[in-house]
């Protein structure tokens, strides 16, 4: 019933996951990271959709969430609605038994540890790259573009339109306008 594909994992084959889940009344699928639940529209829609007696079928626990806290919270919320969770790859984790809940808690903790380890290694790699001078990137906006952006925003042009015009994300524009990060040395930085 619910499928979540990682954006970056090379082994995530959509057809394989749909086949593993099998026939369902309604399929909710999205291609986002399972690291948090806040930006997962299909997950929220699935939670709103399910009713007492439904079974949410997921290929594996990490497709539901990679955070122990989030996974257990999701399972608890679904259980409070009278909804069971079935993991296709690991039936012993199904939430309809105390043993399944216990095993799910342990495996979710392992998944969270794995994610923390990956983030730690990534941070170490970035630190080493910065020390070697290979991680530095130029700011996406020049001083002139930041100046132009400030003028446009002051004239009432929406920041989203300014960001599109300059070919950058809104976050990059906000950072530049606030004079943070790579734009921190800008004398015209405004808060």
């Amino acid at each position: 019933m619910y499928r979540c594909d990682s954006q970056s994992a090379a082994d995530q084959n959509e057809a394989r996951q749909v086949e593993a889940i099998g026939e369902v009344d309604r399929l909710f699928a999205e291609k986002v990271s399972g690291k948090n639940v806040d930006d997962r529209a299909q997950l929220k829609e699935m939670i709103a959709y399910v009713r007492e007696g439904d079974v949410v079928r997921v290929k594996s626990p990490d497709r539901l969430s990679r955070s122990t806290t989030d996974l257990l919270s999701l399972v608890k919320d679904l259980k409070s609605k009278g909804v069971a969770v079935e993991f296709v790859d690991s039936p012993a984790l199904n939430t309809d038994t105390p043993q399944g809940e216990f095993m799910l808690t342990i495996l979710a903790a392992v998944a969270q540890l794995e994610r923390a380890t990956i983030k730690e290694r990534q941070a170490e790699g970035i630190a080493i790259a910065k020390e070697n001078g290979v991680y530095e990137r130029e700011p996406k906006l020049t001083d002139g573009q930041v100046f132009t952006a400030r003028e446009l925003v002051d004239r009432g042009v929406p920041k989203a339109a300014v960001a599109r015009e300059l070919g950058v994300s809104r976050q990059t524009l906000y950072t530049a306008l606030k004079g943070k990060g790579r734009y921190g040395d800008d004398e015209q930085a405004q808060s």
Side-chain angles (χ1 to χ4, degrees), residues 121-137:
R121 288 181 188 150
Q122 183 182 33
E124 289 171 359
I126 289 171
I128 290 169
K130 283 182 177 179
E131 284 178 14
N132 295 331
V134 294
Y135 194 74
E136 297 298 322
R137 293 181 279 176

Side-chain angles (χ1 to χ4, degrees), residues 24-44:
V24 292
D25 293 335
R26 183 166 174 189
L27 178 67
F28 296 87
E30 57 193 337
K31 215 170 187 74
V32 296
S33 172
K35 67 181 179 182
N36 62 51
V37 297
D38 295 334
D39 56 353
R40 295 165 62 190
Q42 287 295 299
L43 177 64
K44 290 177 182 175

Side-chain angles (χ1 to χ4, degrees), residues 35-170:
K35 67 181 179 182
N36 62 51
V37 297
D38 295 334
D39 56 353
R40 295 165 62 190
Q42 287 295 299
L43 177 64
K44 290 177 182 175
E45 189 175 329
M46 183 273 293
I47 291 170
Y49 174 81
V50 293
R51 302 286 183 261
E52 185 172 353
D54 284 348
V55 175
V56 173
R57 191 179 302 163
V58 184
K59 186 170 185 319
S60 59
D62 65 330
R63 299 295 90 203
L64 200 53
S65 179
R66 292 185 184 228
S67 158
T68 305
T69 305
D70 289 346
L71 179 62
L72 296 177
S73 177
L74 285 168
V75 169
K76 182 180 176 185
D77 290 348
L78 290 169
K79 191 173 182 176
S80 72
K81 293 178 78 172
V83 176
V85 180
E86 178 182 319
F87 297 103
V88 175
D89 285 354
S90 310
L93 302 178
N94 294 348
T95 61
D96 56 352
T97 67
Q99 293 83 5
E101 285 190 42
F102 172 75
M103 291 294 294
L104 182 62
T105 302
I106 298 297
L107 289 181
V110 171
Q112 187 171 351
L113 175 63
E114 183 179 341
R115 174 144 181 83
T117 302
I118 289 169
K119 288 178 75 176
E120 187 177 289
R121 288 181 188 150
Q122 183 182 33
E124 289 171 359
I126 289 171
I128 290 169
K130 283 182 177 179
E131 284 178 14
N132 295 331
V134 294
Y135 194 74
E136 297 298 322
R137 293 181 279 176
E138 292 294 319
K140 292 181 180 177
L141 296 174
T142 64
D143 290 345
Q145 289 173 313
V146 174
F147 181 79
T148 300
R150 284 195 180 106
E151 284 187 341
L152 291 171
V153 169
D154 289 345
R155 283 191 268 158
V157 177
K159 291 177 183 173
V162 174
R164 273 193 304 274
E165 177 68 25
L166 295 172
V168 296
S169 70
R170 285 183 291 175

